[in-house]
Amino acid sequence: IDTKISVDTMHAVTAEKALTLGVDWINDVTGFQDSNMRHVVSQSNADCVVMHHICIPPERSKVLPRDQDPAEFLINWSRERIALLAKDGIRPERIIIDPGIGFGTTYGQAISLFRNIEKFKELGVRILVGHSRKQFMTTFTHHASSERDIETTAITMHLARQPIDYIRVHNVEMSSRAIKVDADLKA
């Protein structure tokens, strides 16, 4: 396995320190909205995980527009963000888009995104989905966040069959075992 080190931060100073230590990715949950963050990362070779969000921390009352297709909305946002990063010298091959499941999506919007996640490939960049143990799962389970690995794995299995590049989970062993069994069944 080609291991990569990712640092999650929305602070340019933290990103700069992490980059001097040789991290491979900077994961900015604010979607690189800060020009200082874009500048710091543009001076490196690190890849950028660009996550969509409505607000940090997430609030249930602040979500994507309910009258718009969530995939279309986020693809348009992603195009704008890719253009902004390119303007600051960050090439598309360094960009990884994360639609930000749970950071401004309702249950229905999250499900719609899972059903339409393949549309994100039209962006021409890598795609990461972080769905593990998220709050929207309370619609179909009463279990606490730390006990949502079964629900997470079910969604992981769906995502593993989609043309995306990365799936972010908490219980790596459970997910990798399920994906291996699924692959063996297809063989």
Side-chain angles (χ1 to χ4, degrees):
I1 296 174
D2 182 20
T3 305
K4 301 287 184 186
I5 305 296
S6 175
V7 171
D8 293 10
T9 185
M10 59 181 147
H11 304 288
V13 171
T14 303
E16 189 170 34
K17 288 179 184 177
L19 290 166
T20 63
L21 296 172
V23 301
D24 302 291
W25 292 6
I26 297 295
N27 183 349
D28 183 354
V29 296
T30 67
F32 287 84
Q33 65 188 21
D34 177 15
S35 61
N36 292 325
M37 178 69 92
R38 294 190 307 271
H39 175 74
V40 164
V41 174
S42 73
Q43 302 303 305
S44 76
N45 292 321
D47 289 343
C48 311
V49 179
V50 184
M51 191 189 87
H52 178 269
H53 73 291
I54 299 291
C55 63
I56 304 291
E59 295 178 25
R60 284 187 186 185
S61 63
K62 296 181 180 178
V63 297
L64 296 175
R66 295 176 190 266
D67 61 341
Q68 294 184 29
D69 174 81
E72 184 179 316
F73 181 90
L74 290 175
I75 288 168
N76 288 334
W77 176 88
S78 298
R79 280 190 184 110
E80 292 171 4
R81 197 51 48 136
I82 291 165
L84 178 65
L85 290 166
K87 183 179 165 192
D88 285 330
I90 300 170
R91 298 177 322 278
E93 53 271 11
R94 293 179 55 200
I95 298 172
I96 304 164
I97 294 291
D98 177 352
I101 303 291
F103 286 83
T105 54
T106 65
Y107 164 79
Q109 291 169 334
I111 297 302
S112 178
L113 288 168
F114 295 139
R115 289 179 180 154
N116 294 288
I117 200 69
E118 76 282 351
K119 293 179 179 179
F120 283 80
K121 286 312 283 185
E122 70 186 50
L123 294 167
V125 298
R126 290 172 285 163
I127 307 300
L128 176 148
V129 178
H131 62 289
S132 186
R133 301 178 179 172
K134 295 285 177 96
Q135 182 66 31
F136 77 89
M137 292 181 186
T138 59
T139 302
F140 47 80
T141 184
H142 67 279
H143 293 295
S145 175
S146 62
E147 298 174 4
R148 296 183 193 145
D149 288 336
I150 292 171
E151 294 79 11
T152 295
T153 301
I155 296 169
T156 298
M157 295 309 301
H158 168 74
L159 292 171
R161 296 180 190 109
Q162 306 305 312
I164 61 173
D165 304 283
Y166 307 103
I167 301 171
R168 187 198 145 280
V169 296
H170 291 90
N171 191 330
V172 175
E173 181 182 6
M174 181 181 285
S175 295
S176 63
R177 286 170 58 186
I179 290 169
K180 182 184 182 313
V181 170
D182 186 62
D184 287 349
L185 290 170
K186 290 179 186 173

